[in-house]
Amino acid sequence: MTGNGADWRPTATAEALRRRASMLAELRAFFAERDVLEVETPLLCTETTLDLHLDSLGCEVEAPGFPNRRMYLQTSPELAMKRLLAAGSGSVFQVCKAFRGGERGRWHNTEFTILEWYRVGWDHVRLMREVVALIETLLAGSHRLQEAVYASYAELMQRHAGLDPHDTPNRHLRRTLERCSSVQDACDLDRDDLLSRLFALKVEPTFSPDRVTIVFDYPASQAAMARIGTRDPRTAERFEAFVGPIELANGYGELTDPREQRQRLEHDLIKRRESGRPEPPMPCRFLAALANGLPRCAGVALGFDRLLGLDLGARRIDDLIAFPVERA
């Protein structure tokens, strides 16, 4: 029985809820030791991401003195946090709820907890090491992790999929994907989708569950808000952190050029229109903050529920949150 009160009980155990609380305290202590300021930004905003692979949840807001307006639950606090950075906040972190439409599965819930932080004056290489330090600190009680491994995206694709992600023709990517999976729609996938599926099938399963694996130098087309690599313009200053095949974090050397960022956002709007996806408005406040001057920085978002799941050996996100979307 659903929707009549029969499913009022939480799906997470009391043990999971207690560990969630203690892990939150530990991560706050981690950042306090490093003098990173905790902040809060609105989760309901008039602006939202234009990322092609994310769907924001929209709603009409009515309030006294505030006309009915379309607003969005944030897929991450990124846009607002960067406005703080442009205003001179210094290094900041936030742990909050985030919302993504169309995402539900073993490790996905429409509403989830995200940890996001930005380091002013840092590059993405330095931030990689802090991400490893945080993960190892928070998992220390349950996992004896071996030394972290760092590898480039191209190196891993060459080693495990036998292809160069920058030069291999799309037709060969499609043939490779069709040989190693039951995918039926490979002809409809663009280059980035082909690479992402091949990476998930051929590379991610090779990652050890006993260490953090950092993958860096992703293709530039897969990093809409990251700086282009200085050594190889085919790559971007993007990295991801995994423990085993579980992706925990996604980080950037942040793009600070407002004109280039506007061009990328306009491109994303065109792509959304062509694919028939919703078209949120251009994030003008965010772009104005960049025009004012976003300091050189690196930032990262980490899925807190997934990290908690690794700590507790959980099999799905429902075991870690009190009320998943079906019981909310």
Side-chain angles (χ1 to χ4, degrees):
M1 297 170 64
T2 301
N4 61 1
D7 55 355
W8 64 270
R9 295 183 183 277
T11 56
T13 65
E15 175 194 6
L17 297 178
R18 284 193 293 269
R19 179 55 186 144
R20 172 180 289 270
S22 64
M23 185 176 278
L24 286 169
E26 290 169 15
L27 77 82
R28 287 188 164 98
F30 179 92
F31 288 115
E33 291 174 1
R34 290 159 175 80
D35 197 29
V36 180
L37 176 68
E38 182 172 9
V39 297
E40 292 184 350
T41 57
L43 299 182
L44 188 62
C45 301
T46 57
E47 301 179 351
T48 189
T49 181
L50 303 183
D51 190 303
L52 299 174
H53 299 96
L54 297 177
D55 286 325
S56 301
L57 299 179
C59 60
E60 300 298 324
V61 175
E62 182 178 358
F66 185 71
N68 288 358
R69 296 183 64 179
R70 183 73 169 173
M71 300 188 78
Y72 300 90
L73 292 167
Q74 297 301 287
T75 60
S76 93
E78 177 175 7
L79 299 186
M81 291 184 77
K82 286 181 175 176
R83 288 165 61 187
L84 290 179
L85 292 168
S89 66
S91 297
V92 291
F93 83 95
Q94 181 168 193
V95 57
C96 64
K97 293 296 184 180
F99 306 84
R100 296 181 182 178
E103 295 198 4
R104 185 66 174 107
R106 181 184 175 194
W107 289 110
H108 294 87
N109 189 58
T110 305
E111 176 183 354
F112 62 100
T113 302
I114 193 169
L115 166 64
E116 192 152 333
W117 77 97
Y118 293 86
R119 286 298 219 151
V120 173
W122 285 27
D123 62 17
H124 68 299
V125 175
R126 188 176 180 187
L127 184 58
M128 291 180 202
R129 310 211 177 265
E130 186 166 66
V131 170
V132 170
L134 175 73
I135 294 172
E136 291 178 344
T137 297
L138 297 185
L139 294 183
S142 61
H143 290 64
R144 184 171 294 177
L145 294 175
Q146 301 174 24
E147 185 176 355
V149 170
Y150 298 79
S152 74
Y153 184 94
E155 173 191 349
L156 291 169
M157 287 289 272
Q158 185 68 57
R159 184 190 309 162
H160 299 293
L163 55 86
D164 185 324
H166 304 304
D167 295 330
T168 301
N170 286 3
R171 63 181 182 277
H172 183 66
L173 296 178
R174 291 192 178 95
R175 285 199 299 267
T176 303
L177 180 60
E178 289 167 351
R179 284 198 301 268
C180 67
S181 74
S182 59
V183 64
Q184 301 296 318
D185 58 349
C187 61
D188 298 325
L189 300 177
D190 65 19
R191 183 175 185 83
D192 284 330
D193 286 333
L194 290 167
L195 288 172
S196 294
R197 294 202 186 189
L198 285 167
F199 191 86
L201 286 168
K202 304 292 285 186
V203 179
E204 290 176 11
T206 70
F207 295 156
S208 169
D210 299 321
R211 57 162 46 99
V212 181
T213 298
I214 298 288
V215 184
F216 58 87
D217 285 354
Y218 276 72
S221 58
Q222 297 184 25
M225 303 183 84
R227 289 191 296 266
I228 298 300
T230 55
R231 293 178 301 175
D232 185 346
R234 300 175 303 175
T235 68
E237 294 183 0
R238 176 190 173 193
F239 68 89
E240 288 193 338
F242 296 81
V243 174
I246 303 298
E247 177 203 338
L248 292 177
N250 182 33
Y252 291 165
E254 300 294 343
L255 178 63
T256 58
D257 184 328
R259 282 181 289 188
E260 183 179 350
Q261 184 65 81
R262 178 179 287 274
Q263 290 172 355
R264 294 192 193 182
L265 292 172
E266 289 172 347
H267 176 267
D268 287 346
L269 271 178
I270 291 171
K271 289 295 186 181
R272 293 185 75 91
R273 186 176 305 121
E274 290 175 348
S275 63
R277 305 186 72 177
E279 297 178 49
M282 185 67 68
C284 295
R285 288 178 174 139
F286 165 66
L287 288 171
L290 262 62
N292 181 74
L294 183 68
R296 187 174 179 84
C297 61
V300 62
L302 182 146
F304 179 79
D305 303 302
R306 293 185 180 190
L307 187 62
L308 177 63
L310 283 171
D311 185 76
L312 293 174
R315 292 189 171 187
R316 55 178 187 158
I317 195 171
D318 293 31
D319 299 332
L320 309 164
I321 55 179
F323 303 108
V325 63
E326 294 84 1
R327 300 194 181 198

